[in-house]
Short mmCIF file of all heavy atoms in Angstrom, two decimals:
data_model
loop_
_atom_site.label_atom_id
_atom_site.label_comp_id
_atom_site.label_asym_id
_atom_site.label_seq_id
_atom_site.Cartn_x
_atom_site.Cartn_y
_atom_site.Cartn_z
N ASN A 1 -45.81 -60.83 2.78
CA ASN A 1 -45.16 -59.53 2.94
C ASN A 1 -44.56 -59.45 4.34
O ASN A 1 -45.27 -59.50 5.35
CB ASN A 1 -46.20 -58.41 2.74
CG ASN A 1 -45.56 -57.03 2.79
OD1 ASN A 1 -44.47 -56.85 3.32
ND2 ASN A 1 -46.25 -56.06 2.23
N ASN A 2 -43.24 -59.34 4.44
CA ASN A 2 -42.60 -59.40 5.75
C ASN A 2 -42.31 -58.03 6.35
O ASN A 2 -41.45 -57.90 7.22
CB ASN A 2 -41.31 -60.23 5.68
CG ASN A 2 -40.28 -59.64 4.72
OD1 ASN A 2 -40.42 -58.50 4.28
ND2 ASN A 2 -39.25 -60.40 4.42
N LYS A 3 -43.04 -57.01 5.92
CA LYS A 3 -42.83 -55.66 6.46
C LYS A 3 -43.06 -55.63 7.97
O LYS A 3 -42.29 -55.04 8.73
CB LYS A 3 -43.76 -54.66 5.78
CG LYS A 3 -43.59 -53.23 6.30
CD LYS A 3 -44.51 -52.25 5.57
CE LYS A 3 -44.34 -50.84 6.13
NZ LYS A 3 -45.24 -49.87 5.46
N ILE A 4 -44.13 -56.29 8.44
CA ILE A 4 -44.43 -56.29 9.87
C ILE A 4 -43.32 -56.96 10.66
O ILE A 4 -42.99 -56.56 11.78
CB ILE A 4 -45.80 -56.99 10.12
CG1 ILE A 4 -46.21 -56.80 11.59
CG2 ILE A 4 -45.74 -58.47 9.78
CD1 ILE A 4 -47.61 -57.29 11.87
N LEU A 5 -42.69 -57.98 10.07
CA LEU A 5 -41.57 -58.66 10.72
C LEU A 5 -40.36 -57.73 10.79
O LEU A 5 -39.69 -57.65 11.83
CB LEU A 5 -41.22 -59.94 9.97
CG LEU A 5 -40.00 -60.72 10.47
CD1 LEU A 5 -40.17 -61.11 11.94
CD2 LEU A 5 -39.77 -61.96 9.60
N ARG A 6 -40.08 -57.03 9.71
CA ARG A 6 -38.92 -56.13 9.69
C ARG A 6 -39.07 -55.02 10.72
O ARG A 6 -38.09 -54.65 11.39
CB ARG A 6 -38.74 -55.52 8.29
CG ARG A 6 -38.35 -56.53 7.21
CD ARG A 6 -37.76 -55.83 6.00
NE ARG A 6 -38.65 -54.82 5.46
CZ ARG A 6 -39.57 -55.03 4.54
NH1 ARG A 6 -39.74 -56.26 4.06
NH2 ARG A 6 -40.33 -54.05 4.08
N VAL A 7 -40.28 -54.50 10.87
CA VAL A 7 -40.52 -53.44 11.86
C VAL A 7 -40.24 -53.96 13.27
O VAL A 7 -39.57 -53.30 14.07
CB VAL A 7 -41.98 -52.93 11.76
CG1 VAL A 7 -42.30 -52.01 12.95
CG2 VAL A 7 -42.18 -52.18 10.45
N ASN A 8 -40.74 -55.16 13.57
CA ASN A 8 -40.51 -55.73 14.90
C ASN A 8 -39.03 -56.04 15.13
O ASN A 8 -38.52 -55.84 16.23
CB ASN A 8 -41.35 -57.00 15.07
CG ASN A 8 -42.79 -56.71 15.46
OD1 ASN A 8 -43.09 -56.48 16.63
ND2 ASN A 8 -43.67 -56.72 14.49
N MET A 9 -38.34 -56.52 14.09
CA MET A 9 -36.91 -56.82 14.24
C MET A 9 -36.12 -55.55 14.49
O MET A 9 -35.16 -55.55 15.27
CB MET A 9 -36.41 -57.54 12.99
CG MET A 9 -36.88 -58.97 12.84
SD MET A 9 -36.39 -60.03 14.22
CE MET A 9 -34.61 -59.89 14.14
N THR A 10 -36.48 -54.47 13.82
CA THR A 10 -35.82 -53.18 14.05
C THR A 10 -35.97 -52.76 15.50
O THR A 10 -35.00 -52.31 16.14
CB THR A 10 -36.40 -52.10 13.12
OG1 THR A 10 -36.15 -52.46 11.75
CG2 THR A 10 -35.76 -50.75 13.40
N ASN A 11 -37.18 -52.91 16.04
CA ASN A 11 -37.42 -52.53 17.43
C ASN A 11 -36.64 -53.42 18.40
O ASN A 11 -36.08 -52.94 19.39
CB ASN A 11 -38.93 -52.62 17.74
CG ASN A 11 -39.72 -51.55 17.02
OD1 ASN A 11 -39.18 -50.50 16.67
ND2 ASN A 11 -40.99 -51.80 16.79
N ILE A 12 -36.61 -54.71 18.12
CA ILE A 12 -35.87 -55.64 18.98
C ILE A 12 -34.39 -55.29 19.01
O ILE A 12 -33.76 -55.21 20.07
CB ILE A 12 -36.06 -57.10 18.50
CG1 ILE A 12 -37.49 -57.56 18.75
CG2 ILE A 12 -35.07 -58.03 19.21
CD1 ILE A 12 -37.82 -58.88 18.10
N ARG A 13 -33.81 -55.07 17.83
CA ARG A 13 -32.38 -54.75 17.75
C ARG A 13 -32.07 -53.46 18.50
O ARG A 13 -31.05 -53.35 19.18
CB ARG A 13 -31.96 -54.66 16.30
CG ARG A 13 -31.76 -56.03 15.64
CD ARG A 13 -31.58 -55.91 14.16
NE ARG A 13 -30.90 -57.08 13.60
CZ ARG A 13 -30.98 -57.45 12.34
NH1 ARG A 13 -31.75 -56.77 11.50
NH2 ARG A 13 -30.31 -58.51 11.90
N ARG A 14 -32.94 -52.49 18.36
CA ARG A 14 -32.71 -51.22 19.05
C ARG A 14 -32.75 -51.42 20.56
O ARG A 14 -31.90 -50.88 21.30
CB ARG A 14 -33.79 -50.21 18.63
CG ARG A 14 -33.75 -48.89 19.40
CD ARG A 14 -34.79 -47.91 18.89
NE ARG A 14 -36.11 -48.49 18.85
CZ ARG A 14 -36.91 -48.60 19.92
NH1 ARG A 14 -36.49 -48.17 21.12
NH2 ARG A 14 -38.12 -49.12 19.81
N LYS A 15 -33.69 -52.22 21.03
CA LYS A 15 -33.85 -52.40 22.48
C LYS A 15 -32.71 -53.21 23.10
O LYS A 15 -32.32 -52.95 24.24
CB LYS A 15 -35.20 -53.08 22.76
CG LYS A 15 -36.40 -52.19 22.48
CD LYS A 15 -37.73 -52.91 22.75
CE LYS A 15 -38.91 -52.00 22.49
NZ LYS A 15 -40.21 -52.66 22.76
N ILE A 16 -32.17 -54.19 22.36
CA ILE A 16 -31.09 -55.01 22.93
C ILE A 16 -29.71 -54.47 22.57
O ILE A 16 -28.69 -55.03 22.96
CB ILE A 16 -31.20 -56.48 22.50
CG1 ILE A 16 -30.97 -56.64 20.99
CG2 ILE A 16 -32.54 -57.08 22.93
CD1 ILE A 16 -30.93 -58.11 20.54
N GLY A 17 -29.69 -53.35 21.80
CA GLY A 17 -28.42 -52.71 21.45
C GLY A 17 -27.62 -53.48 20.44
O GLY A 17 -26.38 -53.57 20.55
N ASP A 18 -28.29 -54.03 19.44
CA ASP A 18 -27.62 -54.82 18.41
C ASP A 18 -27.61 -54.05 17.09
O ASP A 18 -28.65 -53.86 16.47
CB ASP A 18 -28.34 -56.17 18.24
CG ASP A 18 -27.48 -57.20 17.52
OD1 ASP A 18 -26.26 -57.21 17.72
OD2 ASP A 18 -28.05 -58.01 16.76
N ASP A 19 -26.46 -53.59 16.68
CA ASP A 19 -26.32 -52.80 15.45
C ASP A 19 -26.39 -53.73 14.24
O ASP A 19 -25.52 -54.59 14.08
CB ASP A 19 -24.99 -52.05 15.47
CG ASP A 19 -24.82 -51.13 14.27
OD1 ASP A 19 -25.68 -51.16 13.37
OD2 ASP A 19 -23.80 -50.41 14.23
N PRO A 20 -27.39 -53.58 13.36
CA PRO A 20 -27.49 -54.47 12.20
C PRO A 20 -26.30 -54.37 11.26
O PRO A 20 -26.01 -55.31 10.52
CB PRO A 20 -28.79 -54.01 11.51
CG PRO A 20 -29.03 -52.63 12.01
CD PRO A 20 -28.50 -52.59 13.40
N ALA A 21 -25.58 -53.23 11.30
CA ALA A 21 -24.40 -53.08 10.45
C ALA A 21 -23.23 -53.90 11.00
O ALA A 21 -22.40 -54.41 10.24
CB ALA A 21 -24.01 -51.61 10.34
N GLU A 22 -23.16 -54.02 12.31
CA GLU A 22 -22.13 -54.83 12.96
C GLU A 22 -22.80 -55.66 14.07
O GLU A 22 -22.61 -55.42 15.26
CB GLU A 22 -21.04 -53.95 13.56
CG GLU A 22 -20.27 -53.15 12.51
CD GLU A 22 -19.16 -52.32 13.13
OE1 GLU A 22 -18.89 -52.50 14.34
OE2 GLU A 22 -18.57 -51.49 12.43
N PRO A 23 -23.58 -56.65 13.69
CA PRO A 23 -24.38 -57.40 14.67
C PRO A 23 -23.55 -58.27 15.60
O PRO A 23 -22.52 -58.81 15.20
CB PRO A 23 -25.31 -58.25 13.79
CG PRO A 23 -24.54 -58.43 12.52
CD PRO A 23 -23.78 -57.15 12.31
N LYS A 24 -24.03 -58.38 16.83
CA LYS A 24 -23.42 -59.27 17.80
C LYS A 24 -24.34 -60.45 18.12
O LYS A 24 -23.86 -61.54 18.43
CB LYS A 24 -23.11 -58.49 19.09
CG LYS A 24 -22.47 -59.35 20.17
CD LYS A 24 -21.88 -58.51 21.29
CE LYS A 24 -22.91 -57.69 22.05
NZ LYS A 24 -22.34 -57.05 23.26
N TYR A 25 -25.65 -60.20 18.04
CA TYR A 25 -26.62 -61.22 18.43
C TYR A 25 -27.43 -61.77 17.24
O TYR A 25 -27.53 -62.98 17.07
CB TYR A 25 -27.59 -60.65 19.46
CG TYR A 25 -26.94 -60.10 20.70
CD1 TYR A 25 -27.17 -58.79 21.11
CD2 TYR A 25 -26.11 -60.90 21.49
CE1 TYR A 25 -26.59 -58.27 22.25
CE2 TYR A 25 -25.51 -60.39 22.64
CZ TYR A 25 -25.77 -59.07 23.02
OH TYR A 25 -25.18 -58.56 24.15
N ILE A 26 -28.02 -60.87 16.46
CA ILE A 26 -28.93 -61.29 15.38
C ILE A 26 -28.31 -60.98 14.03
O ILE A 26 -28.06 -59.81 13.71
CB ILE A 26 -30.30 -60.58 15.51
CG1 ILE A 26 -30.91 -60.82 16.90
CG2 ILE A 26 -31.26 -61.10 14.43
CD1 ILE A 26 -32.18 -60.01 17.16
N PHE A 27 -28.08 -62.02 13.25
CA PHE A 27 -27.45 -61.85 11.95
C PHE A 27 -28.50 -62.05 10.85
O PHE A 27 -29.30 -62.97 10.90
CB PHE A 27 -26.33 -62.86 11.78
CG PHE A 27 -25.24 -62.72 12.80
CD1 PHE A 27 -25.34 -63.37 14.03
CD2 PHE A 27 -24.14 -61.93 12.56
CE1 PHE A 27 -24.35 -63.24 14.99
CE2 PHE A 27 -23.14 -61.78 13.51
CZ PHE A 27 -23.25 -62.44 14.73
N THR A 28 -28.48 -61.15 9.87
CA THR A 28 -29.40 -61.25 8.73
C THR A 28 -28.78 -62.09 7.63
O THR A 28 -27.66 -61.82 7.19
CB THR A 28 -29.74 -59.85 8.18
OG1 THR A 28 -30.35 -59.07 9.21
CG2 THR A 28 -30.70 -59.96 7.00
N GLU A 29 -29.50 -63.12 7.22
CA GLU A 29 -29.10 -63.92 6.06
C GLU A 29 -29.87 -63.35 4.88
O GLU A 29 -31.08 -63.60 4.75
CB GLU A 29 -29.42 -65.40 6.27
CG GLU A 29 -28.76 -66.02 7.49
CD GLU A 29 -27.26 -66.15 7.34
OE1 GLU A 29 -26.77 -66.12 6.19
OE2 GLU A 29 -26.56 -66.27 8.37
N SER A 30 -29.21 -62.52 4.08
CA SER A 30 -29.88 -61.73 3.06
C SER A 30 -30.81 -62.54 2.17
O SER A 30 -30.40 -63.56 1.60
CB SER A 30 -28.83 -61.03 2.18
OG SER A 30 -29.45 -60.18 1.23
N GLY A 31 -32.06 -62.09 2.10
CA GLY A 31 -33.05 -62.73 1.26
C GLY A 31 -33.61 -64.03 1.81
O GLY A 31 -34.47 -64.66 1.18
N VAL A 32 -33.11 -64.44 2.99
CA VAL A 32 -33.53 -65.74 3.55
C VAL A 32 -34.21 -65.58 4.91
O VAL A 32 -35.34 -66.01 5.11
CB VAL A 32 -32.34 -66.69 3.69
CG1 VAL A 32 -32.78 -68.03 4.28
CG2 VAL A 32 -31.68 -66.90 2.33
N GLY A 33 -33.50 -64.96 5.86
CA GLY A 33 -34.06 -64.86 7.20
C GLY A 33 -33.04 -64.35 8.20
O GLY A 33 -32.18 -63.53 7.87
N TYR A 34 -33.08 -64.90 9.43
CA TYR A 34 -32.21 -64.44 10.50
C TYR A 34 -31.55 -65.64 11.20
O TYR A 34 -32.09 -66.74 11.21
CB TYR A 34 -32.99 -63.64 11.55
CG TYR A 34 -33.72 -62.45 10.98
CD1 TYR A 34 -35.09 -62.50 10.71
CD2 TYR A 34 -33.05 -61.26 10.71
CE1 TYR A 34 -35.77 -61.42 10.19
CE2 TYR A 34 -33.71 -60.16 10.19
CZ TYR A 34 -35.09 -60.25 9.93
OH TYR A 34 -35.73 -59.17 9.41
N ARG A 35 -30.38 -65.36 11.78
CA ARG A 35 -29.68 -66.38 12.54
C ARG A 35 -29.23 -65.76 13.86
O ARG A 35 -28.56 -64.74 13.88
CB ARG A 35 -28.47 -66.92 11.78
CG ARG A 35 -27.63 -67.92 12.56
CD ARG A 35 -26.51 -68.49 11.69
NE ARG A 35 -25.71 -67.44 11.08
CZ ARG A 35 -24.71 -66.79 11.69
NH1 ARG A 35 -24.40 -67.08 12.93
NH2 ARG A 35 -24.03 -65.86 11.03
N MET A 36 -29.64 -66.41 14.95
CA MET A 36 -29.27 -65.93 16.28
C MET A 36 -27.93 -66.54 16.68
O MET A 36 -27.67 -67.73 16.43
CB MET A 36 -30.33 -66.36 17.29
CG MET A 36 -30.28 -65.62 18.61
SD MET A 36 -31.12 -64.02 18.44
CE MET A 36 -30.58 -63.24 19.97
N ALA A 37 -27.06 -65.74 17.28
CA ALA A 37 -25.78 -66.26 17.77
C ALA A 37 -26.04 -67.46 18.68
O ALA A 37 -26.95 -67.43 19.50
CB ALA A 37 -25.02 -65.18 18.52
N GLU A 38 -25.25 -68.51 18.52
CA GLU A 38 -25.51 -69.75 19.24
C GLU A 38 -25.29 -69.58 20.74
O GLU A 38 -24.33 -68.95 21.18
CB GLU A 38 -24.61 -70.87 18.71
CG GLU A 38 -24.98 -72.24 19.25
CD GLU A 38 -24.33 -73.35 18.45
OE1 GLU A 38 -23.59 -73.05 17.51
OE2 GLU A 38 -24.56 -74.52 18.79
#
């Protein structure tokens, strides 16, 4: 269950100013995971 991960990711994105709707740093690969900008 990745609920605890999602909560932490939400907090990280908020703190670094990364909008999940228009991400600059952390991209969500739907149903798979995350990809950080190189």
Side-chain angles (χ1 to χ4, degrees):
N1 184 340
N2 61 12
K3 180 179 179 181
I4 188 172
L5 176 58
R6 293 198 305 270
V7 170
N8 278 278
M9 288 300 300
T10 298
N11 291 336
I12 291 170
R13 281 170 158 157
R14 174 177 53 80
K15 290 179 179 181
I16 67 174
D18 197 36
D19 184 354
E22 297 182 9
K24 180 166 63 171
Y25 303 124
I26 305 173
F27 300 87
T28 300
E29 302 291 340
S30 184
V32 179
Y34 303 100
R35 176 175 53 82
M36 196 82 193
E38 189 165 1

